[in-house]
Amino acid sequence: LSPDGSEIDTGAMLTTSSNPTFMPIHDRMPVFISPPHFERWLNCIDYEPRDMADLFGAVDDDFFEAVPISDKVKKVANMTADIQARINLNESAKANETKTPKIVRPSNQMKLF
């Protein structure tokens, strides 16, 4: 609730360990609640959070298609739809050879996801 007592719309992203499709991209992936489980997920009167644990696994390997996209997506100033366009990884790798190398983070740095 907000300070004046009104409701605030919020959201949260739950993650789980990656499936084999996601693993090359990241070690975590979003949890997806499938349509047959919507009613149970949204019914907070009859179910407690502990009753939802079985819904938090990774989705099937073929649920997503991993599509390589431009690194333009990392910059908030890039607001055009082309940031989601599929790219050719071989051409992208050649273009990145001339860029500054990635910063290597210390192994003790925490992860956001």
Side-chain angles (χ1 to χ4, degrees):
L1 296 176
S2 70
D4 68 1
S6 62
E7 289 186 9
I8 300 173
D9 291 330
T10 61
M13 180 173 289
L14 302 175
T15 63
T16 189
S17 298
S18 288
N19 65 16
T21 302
F22 252 70
M23 192 55 71
I25 300 166
H26 201 279
D27 63 342
R28 306 286 298 161
M29 67 182 295
V31 168
F32 286 86
I33 309 299
S34 61
H37 301 291
F38 286 175
E39 186 176 334
R40 180 165 57 119
W41 173 250
L42 297 171
N43 183 345
C44 58
I45 294 173
D46 297 327
Y47 297 98
E48 300 217 6
R50 67 177 165 256
D51 300 325
M52 303 300 159
D54 63 305
L55 302 179
F56 297 159
V59 295
D60 293 336
D61 293 346
D62 62 352
F63 188 81
F64 289 108
E65 175 189 7
V67 176
I69 60 172
S70 166
D71 64 355
K72 292 181 194 176
V73 77
K74 297 178 185 177
K75 297 179 182 139
V76 71
N78 297 327
M79 301 278 289
T80 58
D82 70 323
I83 65 172
Q84 297 181 48
R86 182 185 291 263
I87 62 167
N88 180 317
L89 286 177
N90 293 331
E91 291 174 12
S92 179
K94 288 177 187 174
N96 284 332
E97 287 176 2
T98 60
K99 291 184 179 180
T100 308
K102 275 188 166 181
I103 297 170
V104 178
R105 293 183 177 97
S107 62
N108 63 347
Q109 182 171 342
M110 297 175 64
K111 293 181 179 180
L112 179 59
F113 296 107

